[in-house]
Structure formats: structure tokens, C-alpha cells
Amino acid sequence: MAPKATVVKVELQVTDMDRHYYASHNLTLAQHPSETDERLMVRLLAFALHADERLEFGRGLSDEDEPALWRRDYTGLIEQWIELGQPDEARLRKACGRAQQVVVVSYSGNSAGIWWHRNGPALARLRNLTVIDLDSADVAAATALLGRGMRVTAMIQDGELQLMDTERTVALRPAVRMAPALQEA
């Protein structure tokens, strides 16, 4: 019998002063048996960074046609497609053709740098792609907050994300490797 997904319930309060977005989200994350705790936490961090009332988790690992997160408009058109880790260039080209905006959140330290060095020149042609990198040590610190039932606050100001529970605070500063505005400069 195959192992079942672990369910993680999160009450997330988002205070994003950079985008002027303030809301509470009650989230249910299903952790696939092959998904690491770090990847699960990065999904939550990506949600906090791009929070919106229509942002939802995709099937991700269990469905290759869906991203880790996405936001669709009320007609079903994909406004934002969010991938985690080091996706294949062909997958990103396909996503850029399907969505208005595509975001990659990489988080695995040196291997993310190697992935970027190998794929960056080809990805630079994708005009609606943003690539951000989370420091692996910061992701490890944030993962220490992980629990089956979580109540956390994400405060974003001046590009820094602070993730807080009742006892601890973890600060992360996502590094932008590529963004549409940077490509035009």
C-alpha cells in the first residue's frame, strides 16, 4: 500500500507592505510522500510572497500539467504560474506560453546556482519569467517552524519576508536573479 500524503493546516496572516496586500488565509497543504519538509515550506513561502485571494496550490508533484501554485482569473485564464526548485527549460517555455506571468522560486543553494548558470541564458528570452532564489540556510530556518497545525504571520517590507510564529521569527530576503523589468534595462 502506498504511503498517503501528510496534511498540514496553516493559518497564515499576510501583511505585504510592498504590494499593499493584507489578508488572512486558511490553507491546507497536502505533503506528497516524496516531498521534503523544505519544499513544503518553500510552497508556503511562495504563497506568502505572492498571496492573493485567487492564488491556489496546484497538484504539483502528482500532476505535471500543473504548477506548485497558480492564480487564475474568473474565466480560468492563468494569470500567474509559480514553479519551485529547478524546473526544466522546456517546462518553463510551455508555462510562459500558457500564463501571463511565470515565477520560479529556487531554494537549494549551490545546485540552484549551477542550474541558473546552465539555464539562465536560454531563460533570458522568456519575457514574462521571474526567477527568485531563497537562501538554503534561510529555508532551513523557516522549516524549523513547520508543524501539522501552524499559525504564522508573514510580513513583507522592502523585499524582506519575516515569517513569525508565537515564539520565533525567521527573516528571508529573496534574491531576484531575473525579472521582466531587469530584462528591459
Side-chain angles (χ1 to χ4, degrees):
M1 179 180 238
K4 296 186 187 246
T6 301
V7 175
V8 176
K9 300 266 187 180
V10 181
E11 184 180 317
L12 176 66
Q13 178 70 40
V14 177
T15 302
D16 188 337
M17 291 182 251
D18 292 349
R19 293 187 304 135
H20 306 288
Y21 179 83
Y22 311 95
S24 289
H25 297 272
N26 291 313
L27 307 172
T28 301
L29 289 86
Q31 184 177 14
H32 190 275
S34 67
E35 183 176 33
T36 64
D37 288 346
E38 289 80 11
R39 186 179 188 284
L40 180 73
M41 183 54 76
V42 170
R43 276 201 292 148
L44 181 61
L45 294 169
F47 187 96
L49 288 167
H50 300 94
D52 185 273
E53 65 183 20
R54 291 188 323 270
L55 184 63
E56 59 186 329
F57 295 102
R59 293 190 191 112
L61 292 174
S62 61
D63 187 339
E64 291 187 13
D65 289 332
E66 288 189 15
L69 297 105
W70 56 359
R71 185 183 75 233
R72 294 176 282 192
D73 70 12
Y74 294 113
T75 67
L77 292 173
I78 304 168
E79 294 176 326
Q80 190 173 46
W81 178 291
I82 301 173
E83 291 284 350
L84 305 180
Q86 302 165 21
D88 183 66
E89 177 196 347
R91 179 174 174 81
L92 291 175
R93 275 196 319 270
K94 183 177 176 182
C96 285
R98 292 181 63 191
Q100 293 173 5
Q101 179 189 29
V102 177
V103 177
V104 174
V105 180
S106 63
Y107 60 94
S108 55
N110 288 340
S111 66
I114 293 168
W115 171 82
W116 176 251
H117 181 71
R118 185 175 51 238
N119 294 287
L123 295 177
R125 293 186 295 245
L126 303 175
R127 296 289 174 205
N128 57 336
L129 176 65
T130 299
V131 179
I132 64 173
D133 189 39
L134 298 176
D135 182 76
S136 58
D138 292 344
V139 170
T143 302
L145 302 175
L146 187 62
R148 297 280 302 269
M150 299 170 56
R151 180 177 270 162
V152 292
T153 299
M155 187 172 79
I156 302 163
Q157 183 176 14
D158 298 329
E160 181 177 274
L161 165 64
Q162 291 188 6
L163 191 65
M164 301 166 266
D165 65 9
T166 57
E167 301 166 3
R168 299 163 288 190
T169 299
V170 176
L172 300 101
R173 182 167 291 279
V176 178
R177 289 189 185 266
M178 182 175 107
L182 295 175
Q183 293 172 349
E184 296 167 7

